[in-house]
Amino acid sequence: MSVPQPPEPIPGARLLFSLDPAVSHLNHGSFGAVPISVQRAQQRLRDEMEANPLRFFTQGLIDRIAHTRRHLAGFLGADPDGTALVGNTTTGVAVVLQSLGLRPGDEVLSTDHGYGAVSLSIQRECRRTGAESRVLAVPLAATDEEVVETVRSALRPGRTRVLVVDQLTSATARLLPVAAIVGVAREQGVPVLVDAAHVPGMLPTTVASVGADFWVGNLHKWAYAPRGTAVLVVAPPWRDRIEPLVVSWEQESGFPARLEWQATLDYTSWLAAPAGVFTLRSLGLDRVRAHNAVLAAYGQRVVGDALGVAPSHLPDPGGPEVAMRIIPLSPGLATTVDEARALQQRIAERLSSEVAVMSWKGRGWLRLCGQVYNSPDEYERLAVRLPPLLAQR
């Protein structure tokens, strides 16, 4: 089977970013990359803030945040009245968990594809409240129908207080059928919290089409927003119950203002986020999505071939729209989180390539991303240089 053809580059896209040209940045999914124009938009806002902090914070800032919220909600297909800006996905998850009023005898159900920090947040809230955390095993190769049935059989109405499920998983790049999962959970009266950290900007899904009780996603990964920009979308029955992690002067204003206003927080990342969406749309939203997905698939195949992984053993759990791909590493490599981090750092230092190395279910996985600033030769160079490095155990 031949290697898929890489996509045509988007002219000038690489020049939109200030990334170090001596490094191959193949891990966009972890922290994103902010275009220069968006950096400058945020800097102008910071200059405004520092020129007169009192005026910036006390005259119109709440209205400016609300305007930004409406803009971003429109981009995501979410109800602006049910959308709140938060710092990141893990913050949004923590807000929801501590707003549920968990008690002994309750359980929080999640899957073994969940993001590590989210799993830790679940564990902490369960320790604090006496609730139970139960993790559901979902095979990587399971079909969507099998995933839905696995979830259906695991729900325990009256005891399962919330189901936490990823829309696109971080460790395994698996796209889960969240709309169908929400449907079966609703049949049993179980609310669903969707971790959509990687969805905004990458996937065409609208929040309304998912129908979750809670949906939280980052805009600083694939939507080119400054870091620290995410949204928490809450269904109407839950909005009055959502409490911020820290009480502020907007506490009595209700959701979403009570969640967004955190006194002297630097709000410039939020206010500059629409500039990131503008950049994405200027490049062509569908064009960027298609380019990134095809490039990630190309990188997976080229590096997989170099590592001796047969094409049939290269996972494709996300489908053709996903701009992240994983490659299994040889048994014994990166079997723990600490080993994965050490290998990732070694690849960065010796090969000048930023990648993600994950440990999932006792096996190491290499995750590659595709973005408009990447080119096929970056994956090809990694394919040549990575095997000798991995042989030096």
Side-chain angles (χ1 to χ4, degrees), residues 78-261:
D79 178 2
D81 293 332
T83 301
L85 292 164
V86 292
N88 53 38
T89 294
T90 49
T91 298
V93 168
V95 166
V96 172
L97 290 174
Q98 63 91 37
S99 297
L100 290 172
L102 296 173
R103 297 176 297 180
D106 293 339
E107 74 169 15
V108 178
L109 182 63
S110 59
T111 81
D112 58 357
H113 294 256
Y115 185 60
V118 169
S119 299
L120 291 172
S121 186
I122 293 171
Q123 293 167 20
R124 186 188 71 167
E125 193 63 19
C126 287
R127 285 196 304 269
R128 189 179 71 82
T129 62
E132 174 191 354
S133 170
R134 187 159 60 99
V135 179
L136 183 61
V138 176
L140 185 62
T143 65
D144 285 354
E145 293 76 14
E146 290 169 340
V147 172
V148 172
E149 288 307 310
T150 298
V151 171
R152 186 198 303 274
S153 63
L155 294 171
R156 298 192 284 197
R159 184 169 183 184
T160 307
R161 285 294 307 282
V162 67
L163 167 65
V164 182
V165 62
D166 297 66
Q167 187 164 349
L168 176 59
T169 66
S170 177
T172 56
R174 170 69 199 253
L175 187 62
L176 293 174
V178 287
I181 290 172
V182 168
V184 300
R186 180 167 290 119
E187 291 172 0
Q188 302 192 39
V190 176
V192 180
L193 166 57
V194 173
D195 177 346
H198 289 277
V199 172
M202 187 203 294
L203 300 176
T205 306
T206 61
V207 177
S209 69
V210 175
D213 300 86
F214 315 99
W215 186 98
V216 57
N218 293 320
L219 285 103
H220 54 242
K221 290 183 181 288
W222 300 90
Y224 300 158
R227 291 172 196 89
T229 306
V231 295
L232 170 62
V233 184
V234 180
W238 292 96
R239 292 172 191 171
D240 290 341
R241 296 186 244 182
I242 294 294
E243 292 287 347
L245 300 175
V246 179
V247 173
S248 74
W249 283 103
E250 289 299 311
Q251 178 66 16
E252 301 305 316
S253 298
F255 183 89
R258 67 163 52 149
L259 203 60
E260 294 172 334
W261 187 255

Side-chain angles (χ1 to χ4, degrees), residues 5-10 201-204 222 224 280 283-298 319-325 369-372 379:
Q5 290 299 305
E8 289 294 322
I10 297 178
M202 187 203 294
L203 300 176
W222 300 90
Y224 300 158
L280 188 56
L283 290 171
L285 188 54
D286 292 339
R287 183 186 190 190
V288 168
R289 286 170 171 161
H291 171 277
N292 294 346
V294 172
L295 188 58
Y298 176 78
E321 295 179 322
V322 173
M324 300 192 302
R325 295 291 182 113
C369 299
Q371 188 48 261
V372 296
Y379 305 92

Side-chain angles (χ1 to χ4, degrees), residues 267-312:
Y267 299 95
T268 61
S269 60
W270 294 357
L271 300 181
V277 175
F278 176 81
T279 302
L280 188 56
R281 284 178 163 151
S282 297
L283 290 171
L285 188 54
D286 292 339
R287 183 186 190 190
V288 168
R289 286 170 171 161
H291 171 277
N292 294 346
V294 172
L295 188 58
Y298 176 78
Q300 180 197 41
R301 182 62 183 278
V302 168
V303 176
D305 282 354
L307 296 180
V309 181
S312 59

Side-chain angles (χ1 to χ4, degrees), residues 41-42 44-49 52-53 55-72 85 260-261 267-268 270-274:
Q42 185 179 17
R44 288 193 294 271
L45 288 161
R46 284 176 170 156
D47 292 342
E48 177 191 348
M49 176 173 63
N52 191 330
R55 181 173 62 192
F56 182 85
F57 281 97
T58 63
Q59 298 185 26
L61 180 55
I62 292 176
D63 290 338
R64 293 171 77 176
I65 293 171
H67 177 76
T68 299
R69 176 205 314 138
R70 288 191 293 270
H71 184 100
L72 298 178
L85 292 164
E260 294 172 334
W261 187 255
Y267 299 95
T268 61
W270 294 357
L271 300 181

